[in-house]
Amino acid sequence: MPPRKPAPLISDTEERLSKTIAGKKPAKKPGKAGASLGPVLKACVETTPAAVDDATLVAIFERLRQADPEPRSELQFQNPYTLLVAVVLSAQATDKSVNLATEPLFAIADTPEKMVALGEERVRHFIRTIGLFNTKAKNVIALSRILIGRHGGEVPREASELEVLPGVGTKTASVVLNVAFGVPRIAVDTHIFRVSNRIPLFPAPTTDKVQAGLEARVPEPYRLNAHHWLILHGRYTCKARRPDCPRCRIADLCRYPSKTTDLTPISD
């Protein structure tokens, strides 16, 4: 038999090194970033200040009245029926876009009878530039038929009767009652909701609660026109993205903590 080849010699150092490598545990994976950055940071949330007191509330509305003694709705209408239709169409749309659509529409259909005779397809054609025009055309024809069948073609003066009409909710009913019939209701839209919570006149999480709170708080001499004053103030001064606080007539009475300031021009 041929002689067996001798095993290769391995030095003690190499042997120890190979054993160390073979038995070495894998390195631990690094922890998630920020795992050892200390305590969790909490964001500082700006709290809503308390509502203005009664004396300040009166002062606010007195200034709004002095600036605009006889405010008017910016929606164009000829009678309670056309007002009702215009307000229904104004949901998720601007008053300007509604007025552009309703001017030719109301010229030929200013009563429920004429609107039904016009038909849904032609109504849809007139209001096609307004958002959700398909649904709104159906609602206008449907509510017109109900007015003819149940109310003799007249717009009812009760909120409960208005709110069951297609496309009519609490806000729409309140606008019609206030503008057409002089009922002191404060219809709360996004503008009034923002203004009421900012000043704040009556802070609340929903439009229904804001309306109830405002109608309970606003003094009787101002209640009839409060809807117009607040919506115009929110539309042109207390705007959503950047309120025009430097030119606001009630800025010193308002408790909004994040008032804007005039921008200082950069000099050369």
Side-chain angles (χ1 to χ4, degrees):
M1 293 178 65
R4 183 180 295 177
K5 294 182 180 180
L9 298 176
I10 303 177
S11 66
D12 291 341
T13 302
E14 291 174 331
E15 185 177 6
R16 287 196 300 272
L17 179 62
S18 64
K19 290 180 179 180
T20 301
I21 294 173
K24 187 176 181 180
K25 296 180 181 180
K28 293 182 179 180
K29 294 183 179 180
K32 293 183 179 180
S36 60
L37 294 180
V40 177
L41 299 178
K42 295 182 179 180
C44 294
V45 179
E46 188 179 80
T47 57
T48 302
V52 297
D53 55 57
D54 292 344
T56 303
L57 184 75
V58 170
I60 287 172
F61 279 102
E62 184 58 32
R63 290 189 191 179
L64 295 175
R65 179 168 69 175
Q66 290 175 2
D68 189 3
E70 296 182 1
R72 293 288 180 268
S73 172
E74 293 188 328
L75 285 173
Q76 297 174 1
F77 62 95
Q78 289 80 41
N79 52 44
Y81 171 72
T82 53
L83 172 65
L84 173 62
V85 172
V87 180
V88 168
L89 296 180
S90 70
Q92 300 182 43
T94 64
D95 287 358
K96 183 178 180 180
S97 67
V98 172
N99 290 337
L100 289 173
T102 57
E103 182 178 2
L105 173 62
F106 292 160
I108 60 174
D110 58 353
T111 67
E113 294 82 4
K114 292 178 182 178
M115 194 70 73
V116 171
L118 191 63
E120 183 181 322
E121 184 176 350
R122 292 198 63 193
V123 171
R124 185 165 53 246
H125 173 77
F126 278 103
I127 67 171
R128 66 190 183 282
T129 55
I130 302 175
L132 306 175
F133 65 92
N134 284 317
T135 299
K136 290 177 180 179
K138 291 180 181 179
N139 287 338
V140 167
I141 294 298
L143 71 84
S144 298
R145 289 197 174 111
I146 293 174
L147 292 180
I148 295 170
R150 297 182 188 174
H151 303 286
E154 299 294 326
V155 175
R157 296 176 179 239
E158 296 77 29
S160 59
E161 295 287 350
L162 286 168
E163 291 176 11
V164 297
L165 297 173
V168 178
T170 301
K171 182 178 78 70
T172 298
S174 296
V175 172
V176 173
L177 291 173
N178 178 262
V179 177
F181 303 122
V183 179
R185 298 290 294 269
I186 303 177
V188 177
D189 67 347
T190 55
H191 296 300
I192 296 180
F193 182 78
R194 178 175 65 253
V195 169
S196 182
N197 278 282
R198 266 185 183 171
I199 292 178
L201 301 173
F202 186 86
T206 66
T207 57
D208 289 346
K209 290 182 178 180
V210 168
Q211 177 169 345
L214 289 176
E215 290 179 351
R217 282 209 73 195
V218 176
E220 192 277 331
Y222 307 103
R223 204 173 301 149
L224 178 62
N225 290 321
H227 164 78
H228 297 298
W229 287 324
L230 294 178
I231 195 172
L232 294 174
H233 183 67
R235 185 173 292 167
Y236 298 112
T237 302
C238 195
K239 295 172 283 191
R241 293 188 178 181
R242 183 176 173 81
D244 196 0
C245 299
R247 278 162 284 281
C248 175
R249 59 178 56 89
I250 60 171
D252 59 314
L253 303 175
C254 173
R255 295 179 178 177
Y256 181 51
S258 302
K259 291 186 177 70
T260 60
T261 57
D262 278 324
L263 297 177
T264 304
I266 301 175
S267 58
D268 295 334

